[in-house]
Amino acid sequence: MLRLLVGLACLWLLVDSGFSYDVTNKPVTEDCLDCLCETMSGCNASAICVNGACGIFRITWGYWVEAGKITLPTDTALSDDAFTNCVNQPHCAANTVQNYMFKHGQDCNGDNHIDCLDFGALHKLGNLQCQGELPNIFAKVFYGCLKSKERLAEKKILETQETTSST
């Protein structure tokens, strides 16, 4: 009986310590996540790995580890497929990005403000090299996406102002 209780307690600890699907600290906005996704993979949600980088955000195993080994509810961090299962599932992958940015968030571009521009550099270049220059194609797509999001937000604000002023 004692052996059963000890076994169940160990199993509970293993499952509890390996389950980390929910993330509470989310410094990256939805628009920023959208642009990271668009820039990295075109938001192609098919379960794919290219040169060791997987999912819509093209997350590597090292990035996933640095982010805290986020897992799906059906996995533990010790599961053989925990990495690929998580990073190929959009919500788990987004939570991985959130955790990475919360852990490593820094002012990469020297403007004394941590924002999506910094998160883009962190994601592409890593936390130790984010002050470096972004590859041209990444920068063009990423900055273009952010500008598009900005224009949409401005348009919504103007439409809201017009609607409230006409009533």
Side-chain angles (χ1 to χ4, degrees), residues 21 45-47 54-57 59 71-73 83-96:
Y21 184 70
S46 58
C54 305
I56 60 174
F57 297 107
I59 295 170
T71 63
L72 293 174
F83 161 67
T84 53
N85 288 345
C86 175
V87 299
N88 281 307
Q89 197 280 337
H91 293 293
C92 193
N95 282 340
T96 299

Side-chain angles (χ1 to χ4, degrees), residues 12-74:
W12 177 81
L13 285 173
L14 179 65
V15 170
D16 187 53
S17 64
F19 175 73
S20 55
Y21 184 70
D22 291 327
V23 173
T24 54
N25 297 306
K26 296 185 177 187
V28 185
T29 65
E30 289 296 320
D31 282 348
C32 188
L33 284 172
D34 286 348
C35 287
L36 284 173
C37 170
E38 186 62 39
T39 304
M40 296 306 293
S41 70
C43 295
N44 178 355
S46 58
I48 189 170
C49 294
V50 178
N51 297 323
C54 305
I56 60 174
F57 297 107
R58 297 297 186 255
I59 295 170
T60 63
W61 185 83
Y63 184 112
W64 177 73
V65 169
E66 280 289 314
K69 296 183 179 180
I70 304 295
T71 63
L72 293 174
T74 55

Side-chain angles (χ1 to χ4, degrees), residues 4-159:
L4 177 64
L5 289 174
V6 170
L8 288 174
C10 288
L11 180 62
W12 177 81
L13 285 173
L14 179 65
V15 170
D16 187 53
S17 64
F19 175 73
S20 55
Y21 184 70
D22 291 327
V23 173
T24 54
N25 297 306
K26 296 185 177 187
V28 185
T29 65
E30 289 296 320
D31 282 348
C32 188
L33 284 172
D34 286 348
C35 287
L36 284 173
C37 170
E38 186 62 39
T39 304
M40 296 306 293
S41 70
C43 295
N44 178 355
S46 58
I48 189 170
C49 294
V50 178
N51 297 323
C54 305
I56 60 174
F57 297 107
R58 297 297 186 255
I59 295 170
T60 63
W61 185 83
Y63 184 112
W64 177 73
V65 169
E66 280 289 314
K69 296 183 179 180
I70 304 295
T71 63
L72 293 174
T74 55
D75 283 328
T76 72
L78 302 175
S79 302
D80 289 340
D81 297 326
F83 161 67
T84 53
N85 288 345
C86 175
V87 299
N88 281 307
Q89 197 280 337
H91 293 293
C92 193
N95 282 340
T96 299
V97 172
Q98 292 285 8
N99 254 23
Y100 187 90
M101 298 308 167
F102 180 75
K103 183 177 181 182
H104 296 293
Q106 58 186 288
D107 180 19
C108 298
N109 61 5
D111 67 355
N112 295 316
H113 183 64
I114 299 173
D115 59 14
C116 190
L117 298 176
D118 301 302
F119 296 141
L122 279 163
H123 189 75
K124 184 64 179 172
L125 303 174
N127 66 310
L128 300 178
Q129 298 178 346
C130 73
Q131 293 85 9
E133 191 171 330
L134 290 168
N136 283 339
I137 293 172
F138 177 92
K140 183 178 179 179
V141 175
F142 187 64
Y143 296 146
C145 180
L146 291 177
K147 286 285 186 195
S148 176
K149 297 281 185 185
E150 189 177 305
R151 284 191 297 271
L152 284 172
E154 289 171 354
K155 183 179 175 185
K156 281 184 179 180
I157 290 170
L158 289 174
E159 288 172 354

